[in-house]
Amino acid sequence: MRRAIFLHFLLGTVAYLIASVVRAEDPYKYETWTVTYGQIAPLGVKQKGILINGQFPGPTLNVVTNDNVLITVINKLDDPLLITWNGVKQRKSSWQDGVLGTNCPIPPNSQWTYKMQMKDQIGTFTYFPSTLMHRAAGGFGGLNILARSVIPVPYPKPFEQFTLLVSDWWKTDNKVLKQRLDQGNSFPFPDALLINGRPNSFKFTSMKGYTYLFRVSNVGLTTSINIRIQGHTLKLVEVEGAHTMQEVYESLDIHVGQSMAFLVTLHANPKDYYIVASTRFTKPILTATAILHYQGSNTPASKPLPIGPTYHVHWSMKQARTIRWNLTANAARPNPQGAFHYGTVPVTRTLVLANSAGKINGKRRYAINKVSYINPDTPLKIADFYNIPGVFQLNKIKDNPPPGPIVLGTSVFNFSLHDFTEIVFQNNEKTIQSYHFDGYDFWAVGYGPGQWNPTMRRKYNLVDATSRCTIQVYPNSWSTILVSLDNKGMWNLRSAIWPRRYLGQETYFRVWNTEHSLYTEYDIPPNAILCGKAKH
């Protein structure tokens, strides 16, 4: 009898524990996105755009830290398609990254479901098509990861939040732009800037006396921008998932692929005010406007527009150094961000990565350390998982810029899990560069003019440099990041300037250890699409 009671008690306890685990599982969010071509006219000229559920730009995706997000993408385009989630770390699951090094693209008239967890993240991010030049036609949108209610944020809760997507834009069809690049021609200067798909007139309605959070992303292909609001100041609070010291700015530079969030308190006379975005380091300067509308006002916004910086490289570099990490704020988890003293961790390997341009077989190509990346027909991650030989070459790309001409190659850096790495981006060209690292955030510890050398380390911020996932490199300058390679998988390091990325300015990091364990990396998902050598 006692044995029966004990067994009953034991089974009940197990059932309770299982039920508790089920109840405690993080929430699920389901989306179905149909991607189609449709007619748009953001500049008054009818053209073919990429729509998601009929929208241009695509819907803003708002989720909460640790949410499990399942997005079924139905591809109605006439090309294979992938969508990447710019800034989402995809912890232990580069399978969901949505780039050609990790995923076979979704064929036309078929679908695939991304299964992602927004693990231990907060912040302002974006999504967009990573295939071909689809991004030049749309398909992009905002992706905001909100803090869990039990984790405080280091500023008063805003009355409302707004998402602003700033993009450079061309009247030219994306396939024509792709053809230009394929033929070796230069990429044209954009026709305009857009804010949320419009060159002007997009309206944000607000109320006097309240504070609003503006989440702003540069989803353009080529152009750095400056953002400002007439008659108001911007209190920066977050950059790509990191809470920042709350400095107040008249205007902020946002480079290609970058995102940030700032607070705006409505203290001015009730009327309409211009929100202004203008290009940086370009001739001519392009400008787009939106409207900050005080509720109840009938007074339209009036010119002149607030003036922003134009070229002013030193001004921008100086501002970049003022963006610092908030060491007293909580992150997505209840651990102080400053608890990881990155400046005291020994560096295990240094990479100096130089971008360059050249011609191969008479056509323009771009490269990192003289290797211009080409995509194989089998994704690197799938080839690695199934031990398929001949798909990529480990360490064909060197740790330092070599002499000689640029060459084609499917180049992959090989790293051990938990390596702590210093990466110096050296830009010897006259144009600004921007780099994004999938799967990680990193500390942007230094910016400087000229050629980097080891003595430049004295200028690093090793205390409160902000973490982020995209960094700019000014003309004829260098930028340095420190990154802990603690996310096992195959991860894309790419130029965020899309024509350069399309023509080879990217590479991959294979972050690896010999242990096969779900604690360090998930297995290939059962719904994975197979292609190339993996299909046979």
Side-chain angles (χ1 to χ4, degrees):
M1 182 68 177
R2 288 181 180 176
R3 191 172 182 180
I5 293 172
F6 176 77
L7 182 61
H8 181 77
F9 173 79
L10 180 62
L11 290 174
T13 302
V14 170
Y16 173 80
L17 290 174
I18 292 173
S20 297
V21 169
V22 171
R23 285 197 301 269
E25 189 174 10
D26 292 308
Y28 278 76
K29 183 179 180 69
Y30 297 89
E31 297 277 344
T32 299
W33 289 359
T34 301
V35 183
T36 61
Y37 280 119
Q39 189 180 95
I40 59 174
L43 301 180
V45 177
K46 292 180 181 179
Q47 62 184 121
K48 185 170 64 175
I50 292 178
L51 313 179
I52 297 179
N53 292 350
Q55 298 180 45
F56 170 78
T60 297
L61 182 63
N62 289 310
V63 297
V64 177
T65 299
N66 290 353
D67 275 0
N68 295 286
V69 182
L70 282 73
I71 302 179
T72 298
V73 175
I74 303 170
N75 179 16
K76 293 294 185 179
L77 305 184
D78 52 4
D79 292 313
L81 172 73
L82 283 172
I83 292 177
T84 192
W85 317 91
N86 206 56
V88 177
K89 292 181 185 178
Q90 308 289 6
R91 296 292 303 177
K92 303 190 292 185
S93 188
S94 56
W95 307 106
Q96 309 295 332
D97 201 27
V99 292
L100 288 173
T102 58
N103 297 82
C104 296
I106 307 167
N109 297 311
S110 63
Q111 65 185 50
W112 192 67
T113 300
Y114 290 86
K115 298 178 180 178
M116 306 175 283
Q117 186 176 28
M118 307 303 172
K119 186 66 176 172
D120 297 333
Q121 281 191 265
I122 55 96
T124 305
F125 307 104
T126 59
Y127 64 84
F128 53 79
S130 67
T131 39
L132 305 177
M133 290 300 292
H134 289 136
R135 187 174 168 186
F140 53 77
L143 197 170
N144 304 321
I145 306 178
L146 313 179
R148 298 171 65 189
S149 59
V150 295
I151 306 297
V153 296
Y155 50 84
K157 183 178 180 180
F159 184 73
E160 192 176 351
Q161 67 174 20
F162 298 128
T163 296
L164 277 75
L165 304 174
V166 183
S167 56
D168 44 19
W169 195 255
W170 289 258
K171 299 174 185 176
T172 311
D173 185 274
N174 72 95
K175 293 189 177 182
V176 175
L177 292 172
K178 173 184 174 297
Q179 186 179 43
R180 284 183 64 114
L181 294 174
D182 290 342
Q183 292 172 345
N185 298 315
S186 60
F187 202 72
F189 189 76
D191 293 305
L193 282 187
L194 305 179
I195 298 177
N196 288 4
R198 301 182 196 176
N200 51 47
S201 76
F202 197 96
K203 185 179 290 187
F204 299 91
T205 299
S206 47
M207 292 192 294
K208 183 178 174 63
Y210 289 85
T211 297
Y212 294 79
L213 182 70
F214 284 77
R215 298 183 181 271
V216 184
S217 298
N218 183 340
V219 293
L221 274 68
T222 64
T223 315
S224 297
I225 61 104
N226 178 270
I227 190 83
R228 51 206 181 271
I229 300 179
Q230 188 179 42
H232 297 75
T233 55
L234 321 176
K235 181 183 286 188
L236 186 65
V237 295
E238 179 252 324
V239 171
E240 294 158 28
H243 293 308
T244 62
M245 298 298 291
Q246 296 173 20
E247 303 289 347
V248 176
Y249 298 87
E250 296 291 329
S251 69
L252 283 162
D253 279 356
I254 309 178
H255 304 280
V256 180
Q258 292 184 344
S259 300
M260 58 179 58
F262 50 78
L263 296 173
V264 178
T265 299
L266 273 63
H267 54 71
N269 294 326
K271 54 171 289 201
D272 288 357
Y273 294 87
Y274 283 112
I275 301 171
V276 182
S278 58
T279 57
R280 296 285 273 117
F281 323 120
T282 66
K283 292 181 181 179
I285 298 167
L286 303 177
T287 301
T289 60
I291 298 297
L292 177 62
H293 172 69
Y294 276 59
Q295 188 172 330
S297 169
N298 295 315
T299 306
S302 57
K303 293 186 177 180
L305 298 178
I307 297 172
T310 53
Y311 202 80
H312 304 107
V313 170
H314 178 72
W315 184 97
S316 185
M317 188 182 293
K318 185 177 179 181
Q319 183 183 82
R321 294 188 185 117
T322 68
I323 300 175
R324 296 174 299 128
W325 212 12
N326 187 338
L327 300 182
T328 63
N330 284 338
R333 293 174 292 178
N335 295 322
Q337 291 181 341
F340 185 25
H341 299 292
Y342 68 92
T344 65
V345 179
V347 170
T348 56
R349 185 172 171 186
T350 294
L351 304 183
V352 180
L353 305 182
N355 51 277
S356 58
K359 288 191 175 182
I360 299 178
N361 299 324
K363 294 183 178 180
R364 181 187 301 268
R365 296 288 300 186
Y366 297 100
I368 296 174
N369 282 4
K370 299 298 177 70
V371 179
S372 185
Y373 185 87
I374 51 173
N375 282 298
D377 61 357
T378 308
L380 314 178
K381 183 59 186 170
I382 292 177
D384 202 27
F385 184 81
Y386 287 118
N387 295 313
I388 300 172
V391 174
F392 61 89
Q393 297 171 279
L394 289 177
N395 298 325
K396 175 183 175 66
I397 187 169
K398 304 305 179 185
D399 288 10
N400 291 278
I406 66 174
V407 297
L408 298 175
T410 304
S411 52
V412 177
F413 284 107
N414 197 36
F415 281 87
S416 296
L417 184 64
H418 300 300
D419 277 354
F420 193 77
T421 306
E422 175 188 38
I423 304 176
V424 180
F425 296 101
Q426 179 66 55
N427 179 14
N428 298 324
E429 298 183 60
K430 296 179 181 179
T431 57
I432 191 166
Q433 305 291 312
S434 184
Y435 284 93
H436 175 82
F437 197 4
D438 280 351
Y440 293 95
D441 50 23
F442 50 72
W443 291 276
V445 296
Y447 307 87
Q451 292 290 315
W452 179 89
N453 64 68
T455 66
M456 303 299 182
R457 292 176 177 138
R458 296 195 300 261
K459 300 181 179 180
Y460 289 178
N461 178 353
L462 297 179
V463 178
D464 62 354
T466 191
S467 67
R468 60 187 318 153
C469 59
T470 307
I471 190 169
Q472 72 276 18
V473 194
Y474 295 99
N476 295 307
S477 299
W478 56 268
S479 298
T480 298
I481 66 173
L482 297 177
V483 56
S484 177
L485 298 177
D486 61 355
N487 194 10
K488 189 174 175 179
M490 188 76 70
W491 302 106
N492 188 214
L493 176 68
R494 61 176 175 263
S495 172
I497 299 174
W498 213 247
R500 298 185 72 104
R501 190 257 186 176
Y502 178 74
L503 293 181
Q505 195 171 311
E506 64 173 322
T507 186
Y508 281 82
F509 280 46
R510 179 181 183 261
V511 181
W512 189 249
N513 68 0
T514 57
E515 176 190 21
H516 183 89
S517 170
L518 297 181
Y519 287 105
T520 55
E521 185 180 31
Y522 300 134
D523 283 337
I524 187 169
N527 69 334
I529 301 171
L530 299 182
C531 56
K533 295 180 180 179
K535 199 172 182 180
H536 304 297

